[in-house]
Amino acid sequence: MPELNKNSSREEIRAYIANIMQREKKMPVQKARGNYQTDVQTLKTEMVSQIRQKNKSDDKELIEFDNLKTKVLKYIVYKKRTEKEVRQKFSSSSTDANLLEDVIENLKENGYINDEGYIQRAVNEFLAINTLSLKEIRNKLYAKGLDCDIIDTYFSKHIEQLEEYERTCAKKIAMKKQTQMEQTEIENFLYRKGYTRESIQEAFGD
């Protein structure tokens, strides 16, 4: 008869009890009663031990969860991070992968990790630089590990504002460099930075 352990399921426990009952039927009455009582006592002892071990295991997992969550929170509160950045920071041989997954999902549910919100803040910071093309901004977002669909959705929703920003930046760069470079050189510079042909042409009034 298989022994019970801390991972025994309800079905296995029921089968264990049923096995005891079956053996009782096959034994002489007095002997069966004695063995039955002994087996029931053993079963109770094993079940109590199993419950205690399970509780200890649950307590340990809860402590590990809280400890890891605290570490991740310190990392993302200091500076907003993407989901990929969190995974890269805390994925290691010493960190349980399932535990990390639980922590990330918990923080996503509570809004601490939010890639959509991250894009809005990041783009605002990039726009403030006033020299980046939209292509450069996209590449910076990709480098953060953000999903392409999320990035595309954001750009689609704000396309007019972003295109106006790029045209304005191209004009500023062109005006600033006109005293140092020829128009062709400036155009090539803007192309290398990822500015669109339309933005470059408008920068020179073409």
Side-chain angles (χ1 to χ4, degrees):
M1 180 175 62
E3 297 297 328
L4 294 178
N5 56 59
K6 66 178 182 179
N7 295 318
S8 296
S9 64
R10 292 182 179 178
E11 289 72 17
E12 290 172 329
I13 293 174
R14 291 195 188 99
Y16 187 93
I17 295 174
N19 193 295
I20 292 174
M21 298 292 289
Q22 189 65 29
R23 285 196 302 171
E24 179 199 10
K25 293 179 181 180
K26 296 179 181 179
M27 295 180 182
V29 175
Q30 290 185 346
K31 184 177 180 181
R33 286 176 180 172
N35 288 339
Y36 176 72
Q37 291 174 351
T38 300
D39 284 341
V40 169
Q41 185 58 44
T42 299
L43 177 59
K44 287 181 179 179
T45 301
E46 291 177 346
M47 290 180 68
V48 169
S49 175
Q50 179 181 347
I51 292 172
R52 287 176 178 171
Q53 290 177 1
K54 180 64 174 174
N55 288 339
K56 288 181 180 179
S57 176
D58 290 344
D59 289 343
K60 181 181 178 182
E61 289 178 2
L62 182 59
I63 292 172
E64 291 177 346
F65 177 88
D66 286 340
N67 288 340
L68 181 57
K69 182 177 178 180
T70 299
K71 291 179 182 179
V72 176
L73 276 172
K74 288 181 179 179
Y75 178 66
I76 63 180
V77 167
Y78 172 74
K79 180 181 178 181
K80 292 299 181 183
R81 313 284 184 174
T82 64
E83 182 177 339
K84 182 179 180 180
E85 287 178 314
V86 172
R87 291 185 185 280
Q88 289 178 331
K89 174 69 175 178
F90 294 95
S91 293
S92 67
S93 57
S94 60
T95 302
D96 183 270
N98 292 329
L99 183 63
L100 177 59
E101 189 67 30
D102 290 341
V103 168
I104 289 175
E105 288 304 314
N106 180 271
L107 293 176
K108 287 170 65 177
E109 290 174 3
N110 289 283
Y112 290 101
I113 297 176
N114 184 337
D115 283 355
E116 288 84 354
Y118 180 94
I119 288 180
Q120 179 66 66
R121 290 188 296 271
V123 169
N124 287 340
E125 292 176 4
F126 296 147
L127 295 182
I129 297 175
N130 266 332
T131 60
L132 299 175
S133 68
L134 295 185
K135 183 177 181 179
E136 288 175 310
I137 291 176
R138 275 183 178 272
N139 289 338
K140 286 182 177 294
L141 294 173
Y142 291 144
K144 292 292 184 180
L146 292 162
D147 187 89
C148 294
D149 290 340
I150 298 177
I151 297 173
D152 290 342
T153 298
Y154 178 86
F155 271 70
S156 296
K157 288 181 178 179
H158 302 84
I159 190 62
E160 292 184 5
Q161 173 194 352
L162 293 173
E163 287 181 345
E164 178 61 29
Y165 153 82
E166 183 173 270
R167 288 192 294 269
T168 300
C169 284
K171 288 179 182 179
K172 288 182 179 180
I173 293 174
M175 291 179 63
K176 184 177 180 180
K177 292 186 176 295
Q178 278 179 347
T179 59
Q180 309 165 11
M181 304 166 63
E182 297 293 330
Q183 178 172 333
T184 303
E185 293 176 306
I186 298 173
E187 290 176 347
N188 289 335
F189 173 80
L190 292 172
Y191 279 130
R192 289 195 298 272
K193 283 181 63 65
Y195 281 88
T196 64
R197 181 179 300 276
E198 292 76 12
S199 294
I200 296 173
Q201 288 175 344
E202 189 167 332
F204 292 97
D206 294 342

